[in-house]
Amino acid sequence: MGAGGNMNVTSGGKNVLDRVPVKKTPFEISDLKKAIPQHCFKRDLQRSLYYLFGDIAICFTWYQLASNCIPLLPTPLTYLAWPIYWFVQGSSFMGIWSIGHDLGHHAFSEYQWLDDAIGFVAHSAFLTPYFSFKYSHRSHHAHTNSMEYDEVWIPKRKADTFYSEILNNPLGNLFMTFVRLLLSFPMYFTFNIHGRPYNGFASHFYPNSPIFNDSERKQIWLSDAGMAVAFYVLYKIASATSFTWLFCIYGAPLLVMNAHFIFFTFLHHSHPSLAHFDSREWDWIRGALSTVDRDYGIFNHVFHDVTCSHVVHHLISTIPHYHTMEATKAVKPILGDYYKYDDTPILEAFWRETKNCIYVEPDEGAEDSGVYWFRK
């Protein structure tokens, strides 16, 4: 993908590393809402359930094939068949998890209680604390790319020499790739890794965590209860079968799902062309536009377009996933150069961003600008 053999040129002929403008936008969010067809804002319960139960049926199909067919294969072939199952099932898990993300944004139905009830079950089944993530993720949307107040993927500064010097080499890049894909998902929820600094112990499992306000703490207990029930069910399944069987059927696909989540959220918010802002310069709309849409091929469909319509999702998060592509097309003419799309092949882009997005600093001579760019 790209033009003229240049990996940094999109199919549209633009250099994907060209910076997104940082001056105040000539449009408001109201202008963007007016440009989007009104039906895109409609949350259709029947259609949303169709996608949810469709994904559940796909997961069940993979489960049936794996549990009934793989044990019948000759032993050498099982070493190939199980990883294939782990990847496709983990990708299917990510599809359901993405719908759970929609539920947390109240982008599933017109009924908040129903969205929360389904989202609670869906996310708990994948060992994600639903209400805890809902509230921290809301803060992320409210403060995207704010150096002080964004909730996740907070960039490092050059003064953090562990990142800017010790890990700033190919071996360090490989180490960070391993840590991100394998460990970042549980470590984010448990220890707030990649999150903003807080005074006190910040954890999605701790009801008194400074991540949450007082009105939210009871629901954090509920999230923890959902996780406890999920772990108990998994324990009973393992006791009735074996821990090896549970790992092969559920645990390994869950690790793949976790890696997918970290992979595409890292790529949503890490790009050399996107700025971060401190409190002197940040405003909500420029923060929301400091993300990037990418092309994941068939996985755009599997992940319900969260990968290729992330910009419009940050602008209006209650649009259901089945309308986000149409909404993206509607606002692109207004956004102009403020819209970032990068069709660099995904694995190539992930390695490029891993190498080039090590820390952020202002441009030389613009130290007081309040605008920060990725460096390596």
Side-chain angles (χ1 to χ4, degrees):
M1 304 172 79
N6 187 337
M7 63 172 280
N8 292 328
V9 178
T10 71
S11 55
K14 293 184 178 181
N15 190 317
V16 298
L17 301 183
D18 287 346
R19 289 178 172 182
V20 171
V22 295
K23 61 181 182 295
K24 292 188 182 297
T25 61
F27 49 82
E28 301 290 341
I29 188 65
S30 58
D31 300 316
L32 302 176
K33 288 181 177 180
K34 290 176 184 176
I36 297 172
Q38 285 302 301
H39 69 265
C40 289
F41 298 99
K42 180 175 176 56
R43 294 167 288 206
D44 186 329
L45 177 58
Q46 184 175 354
R47 188 171 182 182
S48 296
L49 288 171
Y50 165 80
Y51 283 104
L52 175 61
F53 285 111
D55 279 359
I56 292 172
I58 290 170
C59 287
F60 184 73
T61 300
W62 293 130
Y63 158 73
Q64 288 289 333
L65 288 171
S67 59
N68 293 315
C69 297
I70 294 180
L72 302 178
L73 295 173
T75 299
L77 288 180
T78 62
Y79 293 109
L80 176 63
W82 278 118
I84 292 174
Y85 164 74
W86 296 339
F87 183 79
V88 296
Q89 185 69 296
S91 302
S92 300
F93 282 4
M94 191 69 245
I96 297 178
W97 196 100
S98 296
I99 292 177
H101 162 260
D102 264 16
L103 286 153
H105 280 293
H106 193 23
F108 188 87
S109 77
E110 296 296 325
Y111 309 101
Q112 180 72 69
W113 66 269
L114 182 62
D115 285 10
D116 283 340
I118 298 174
F120 174 70
V121 174
H123 268 185
S124 297
F126 296 118
L127 304 185
T128 302
Y130 172 74
F131 290 105
S132 307
F133 178 71
K134 173 183 174 178
Y135 294 135
S136 68
H137 192 62
R138 179 187 61 192
S139 181
H140 164 59
H141 273 256
H143 304 100
T144 309
N145 278 34
S146 163
M147 291 292 292
E148 295 93 352
Y149 300 111
D150 198 356
E151 195 62 45
V152 70
W153 292 117
I154 310 301
K156 304 299 180 181
R157 298 293 302 273
K158 187 176 183 180
D160 191 336
T161 55
F162 180 71
Y163 288 88
S164 63
E165 296 181 12
I166 297 174
L167 294 180
N168 198 357
N169 55 70
L171 186 60
N173 298 151
L174 286 173
F175 171 77
M176 286 306 301
T177 296
F178 172 81
V179 169
R180 283 186 179 127
L181 297 183
L182 189 62
L183 301 176
S184 285
F185 187 91
M187 291 180 70
Y188 170 63
F189 289 117
T190 307
F191 302 112
N192 203 38
I193 187 173
H194 301 309
R196 57 172 281 200
Y198 282 99
N199 292 323
F201 179 56
S203 171
H204 284 73
F205 302 115
Y206 180 45
N208 289 328
S209 169
I211 296 173
F212 313 113
N213 62 48
D214 289 342
S215 67
E216 297 164 349
R217 302 196 191 283
K218 290 182 180 178
Q219 290 181 305
I220 309 309
W221 283 110
L222 185 58
S223 293
D224 290 350
M227 294 282 288
V229 170
F231 275 114
Y232 178 74
V233 170
L234 292 172
Y235 168 75
K236 297 297 287 186
I237 292 173
S239 299
T241 55
S242 72
F243 283 97
T244 300
W245 184 90
L246 181 64
F247 175 79
C248 288
I249 290 294
Y250 172 82
L254 186 70
L255 292 176
V256 171
M257 186 205 81
N258 295 351
H260 276 312
F261 173 80
I262 296 300
F263 187 94
F264 69 64
T265 57
F266 170 75
L267 285 180
H268 283 158
H269 298 289
S270 303
H271 197 282
S273 72
L274 299 177
H276 284 72
F277 308 90
D278 67 24
S279 56
R280 295 170 294 181
E281 192 65 21
W282 183 87
D283 62 51
W284 178 82
I285 194 165
R286 282 183 294 166
L289 289 169
S290 295
T291 184
V292 56
D293 288 345
R294 300 181 188 265
D295 183 7
Y296 284 65
I298 191 174
F299 291 100
N300 292 331
H301 176 73
V302 174
F303 301 155
H304 301 299
D305 295 329
V306 68
T307 47
C308 55
S309 59
H310 198 67
V311 174
V312 80
H313 170 67
H314 263 274
L315 292 167
I316 310 169
S317 59
T318 55
I319 294 178
H321 68 82
Y322 39 82
H323 290 315
T324 52
M325 287 305 297
E326 183 178 358
T328 296
K329 292 177 182 176
V331 300
K332 280 171 63 176
I334 299 174
L335 297 179
D337 289 339
Y338 285 90
Y339 173 74
K340 174 57 66 173
Y341 172 76
D342 187 345
D343 63 0
T344 302
I346 289 304
L347 293 177
E348 186 176 287
F350 182 81
W351 185 242
R352 183 190 66 199
E353 267 60 289
T354 298
K355 292 188 302 178
N356 295 336
C357 299
I358 303 296
Y359 61 91
V360 295
E361 287 293 313
D363 283 337
E364 186 175 352
E367 287 79 8
D368 295 326
S369 65
V371 180
Y372 299 75
W373 299 98
F374 277 113
R375 300 280 192 269
K376 63 177 180 177

